[in-house]
Amino acid sequence: MASLLYLSSLSLPLRKLRETYSCYYGLSNVNGNGRSSSRRALKPIIISGDPPTFVSAPGRRIVAVGDLHGDLDQARCALEMAGVLSSDREDLWIGGETVLVQLGDILDRGEDEIAILSLLRSLDIQAKAEGGAVFQVNGNHETMNVEGDFRYVDSGAFDECTDFLAYLDDYKYDWENAFVGWIDASKRRKEDQGMSQSYWGPWNLVKRQKGVIARSVLLRPGGPLACELARHSVILRINDWIFCHGGLLPHHVSYGIERINREVSQWMKGLSDSDTIPDIPFIATRGYDSVVWNRLYSRDMAESEDFQTKQILSILEETLQSAGAKAMVVGHTPQTAGVNCKYNCSVWRIDVGMSSGVLNSRPEVLEIQNDKAKVIRSRKDVYSELQVADCI
């Protein structure tokens, strides 16, 4: 009964509550398209590490979404295509026991960053009630902002930080309720913005200064939004698949995947063994070969560079073997041809530059089920279905 009371606080419609109630007691299940079936519920998802590092999700359908860069409309479109978000703008989870993974770079280049983060947290709460889950990994733009690097921040995102900080104050810094509720509050904020835009016109410089201060308060190490990002890993293994923003390399695995996640999380939380500012975890967040910046697997080699391609394949195979994985999914580098696989399909590149602040391309998502990977370009368009186990 306590679980049902908790679910009702999420304001789910009665139909959704009935489906959740049935799933909770193992009487029925909801498949990836949101339709209920009579089969028994799957085994529970088991998470290891803080932040999550190793996830066992038996029998789950996994969907992966690439870089979103502050574009809420495109984010919703991708999530609807993935079959996990309702299309009625009520922001309801319809994925049943599906596992959703977002590959980072929610921040920068767009104006609805916190709204997207809030939406994903809300969906995670709903998904867990149905036996599913939502995971995020941090990208280079998340780590840049925690470092105080605001070079790529959209002016509208500064405004969102100002408004969110005031909204958080209204909630007396009750972070959980304020953060989950922001996705709804941001809708009202957008409506109010439209009416007051002319009033604020002459004050753009003042607004920007306020926005920079608000963003610094929220995202500095130990800030409330930085601590929210600290809940997420930079490297995540779900079943036999590795998910990270840039790419995993052999020396990352040797250093320790769980250790990297823990160090980045501690840095974002502002925790350190010393009295000084915590050192930035360079192996994860700095340099061309760090986890969030690496582009080794995302750039295509020319046909004349066959030797280099073989070298990269060897590095990838060594990495996957060391990590105990079959394949890797990365974002970070926009793929103008759409989501694709490379190196015997042992790496999937899923950043399509969908944000209006990047390429404004058509959203695409990757679906993994029973070790088969396929790309979803729209609700009815599926291609490149491959038996990954046969490729490795």
Side-chain angles (χ1 to χ4, degrees):
M1 185 59 69
S3 296
L4 291 177
L5 290 173
Y6 173 69
L7 289 169
S8 66
S9 69
L10 299 175
S11 300
L12 296 179
L14 182 59
R15 176 181 61 81
K16 294 294 290 179
L17 281 173
R18 284 173 177 163
E19 289 176 358
T20 304
Y21 179 86
S22 298
C23 290
Y24 183 81
Y25 286 95
L27 300 176
S28 69
N29 182 44
V30 181
N31 62 26
N33 295 318
R35 294 186 293 269
S36 61
S37 63
S38 59
R39 66 183 176 86
R40 291 191 175 212
L42 299 172
K43 293 181 180 179
I45 295 171
I46 299 175
I47 300 172
S48 174
D50 183 17
T53 300
F54 305 107
V55 177
S56 173
R60 295 313 196 278
R61 171 181 178 260
I62 302 170
V63 287
V65 177
D67 306 33
L68 298 175
H69 281 300
D71 193 325
L72 181 59
D73 288 338
Q74 290 284 68
R76 279 201 174 103
C77 183
L79 296 174
E80 289 173 20
M81 284 168 47
V84 298
L85 179 68
S86 62
S87 58
D88 55 7
R89 292 291 169 135
E90 293 298 321
D91 296 332
L92 299 177
W93 174 265
I94 62 169
E97 293 178 314
T98 296
V99 172
L100 167 67
V101 188
Q102 198 284 321
L103 268 288
D105 275 11
I106 290 173
L107 301 186
D108 289 339
R109 305 188 191 279
E111 63 181 17
D112 290 309
E113 309 159 307
I114 305 175
I116 295 174
L117 290 168
S118 172
L119 173 61
L120 290 174
R121 174 70 96 86
S122 174
L123 291 177
D124 183 39
I125 293 171
Q126 297 177 55
K128 285 176 178 174
E130 297 192 12
V134 176
F135 295 99
Q136 296 168 238
V137 297
N138 287 316
N140 61 302
H141 283 269
E142 279 74 42
T143 61
M144 287 167 64
N145 274 268
V146 177
E147 290 179 50
D149 185 343
F150 298 161
R151 284 176 294 168
Y152 301 98
V153 180
D154 184 269
S155 59
F158 281 123
D159 294 342
E160 186 188 31
C161 287
T162 302
D163 293 344
F164 178 74
L165 195 59
Y167 167 83
L168 185 58
D169 185 60
D170 290 341
Y171 267 79
K172 301 187 185 305
Y173 281 76
D174 178 357
W175 176 260
E176 291 298 318
N177 286 324
F179 186 65
V180 173
W182 177 247
I183 183 61
D184 290 327
S186 65
K187 297 175 187 176
R188 298 188 296 273
R189 168 183 171 270
K190 288 281 188 178
E191 295 171 358
D192 295 341
Q193 265 188 341
M195 293 186 295
S196 62
Q197 190 171 6
S198 59
Y199 173 80
W200 283 108
W203 299 97
N204 285 338
L205 181 58
V206 175
K207 284 179 64 182
R208 183 179 177 85
Q209 290 173 335
K210 289 177 64 177
V212 170
I213 293 171
R215 194 174 187 88
S216 299
V217 169
L218 290 168
L219 280 163
R220 67 172 183 260
L225 195 52
C227 288
E228 177 66 26
L229 295 177
R231 297 175 61 249
H232 310 304
S233 55
V234 289
I235 307 162
L236 182 69
R237 195 186 83 191
I238 303 178
N239 298 339
D240 296 325
W241 292 72
I242 291 285
F243 298 87
C244 57
H245 182 69
L248 196 65
L249 297 171
H251 73 278
H252 300 146
V253 183
S254 298
Y255 188 83
I257 293 175
E258 194 164 4
R259 178 183 176 186
I260 289 174
N261 285 339
R262 184 175 60 253
E263 289 181 353
V264 174
S265 180
Q266 294 291 94
W267 164 63
M268 288 183 165
K269 291 176 182 176
L271 302 177
S272 176
D273 294 332
S274 67
D275 295 329
T276 61
I277 297 174
D279 292 331
I280 296 171
F282 277 75
I283 194 169
T285 66
R286 284 288 190 89
Y288 71 94
D289 62 346
S290 63
V291 178
V292 300
W293 282 101
N294 177 26
R295 299 185 192 271
L296 182 67
Y297 308 130
S298 298
R299 288 176 171 166
D300 290 325
M301 301 292 110
E303 292 183 6
S304 59
E305 298 174 306
D306 184 58
F307 175 72
Q308 190 172 357
T309 299
K310 290 180 180 178
Q311 284 184 312
I312 296 172
L313 176 59
S314 176
I315 292 171
L316 178 59
E317 288 176 341
E318 180 185 348
T319 303
L320 292 173
Q321 184 176 4
S322 299
K326 292 180 179 178
M328 187 185 307
V329 183
V330 300
H332 188 43
T333 305
Q335 305 294 308
T336 55
V339 174
N340 62 85
C341 67
K342 188 74 173 176
Y343 306 112
N344 298 330
C345 279
S346 53
V347 65
W348 285 84
R349 295 94 65 92
I350 70 168
D351 176 16
V352 296
M354 71 178 80
S355 169
S356 58
V358 185
L359 299 178
N360 199 29
S361 63
R362 181 175 65 173
E364 299 182 12
V365 300
L366 181 69
E367 178 186 76
I368 302 166
Q369 196 163 23
N370 299 323
D371 261 349
K372 292 181 180 179
K374 59 186 177 185
V375 182
I376 303 175
R377 282 182 163 171
S378 71
R379 292 186 183 89
K380 298 181 180 179
D381 179 18
V382 176
Y383 79 99
S384 297
E385 183 170 344
L386 295 170
Q387 182 72 40
V388 175
D390 292 342
C391 297
I392 299 175

